[in-house]
Amino acid sequence: MNEKIISKKVLRLISVLGIVATILAIIYGYQKGIFTSTDRLQAAVKEAGIWGPLLFIGIQIVQVVVPIIPGGITCVAGVVIFGPLEGFLYNYIGIVIGFHY
């Protein structure tokens, strides 16, 4: 099989899986009340410990490679969740790594 066809199929599969994962995360967050206030969202991320920032950076990397979530939304979310300095750094790290992927 042609490499180009395989890479297109893999990209489509990643896109579909990303959309499904995003929908499931939204449903989970809605059911847990995470998205009802900024304080609850920040508390949920803080509760995740080191995994919170790592997951966020991972989301930024993926959204650069396969734009599942608009970049403007995730950049603003980073600043809202982590504050201006840490949010900027996590956004920057994720975007740069994703760009070089």
Side-chain angles (χ1 to χ4, degrees), residues 7-74:
S7 72
K8 282 184 179 183
K9 287 182 179 183
V10 169
L11 190 59
R12 282 189 191 141
L13 177 64
I14 291 171
S15 297
V16 169
L17 291 175
I19 291 169
V20 169
T22 301
I23 291 169
L24 292 174
I26 290 170
I27 291 170
Y28 174 79
Y30 179 75
Q31 288 176 343
K32 294 289 184 180
I34 294 172
F35 302 129
T36 57
S37 73
T38 304
D39 293 333
R40 284 188 167 192
L41 182 59
Q42 290 171 337
V45 172
K46 193 176 258 186
E47 192 177 294
I50 189 68
W51 295 108
L54 291 176
L55 179 62
F56 180 77
I57 291 170
I59 290 169
Q60 283 294 68
I61 292 168
V62 170
Q63 76 87 18
V64 170
V65 177
V66 183
I68 300 162
I69 306 168
I73 292 173
T74 55

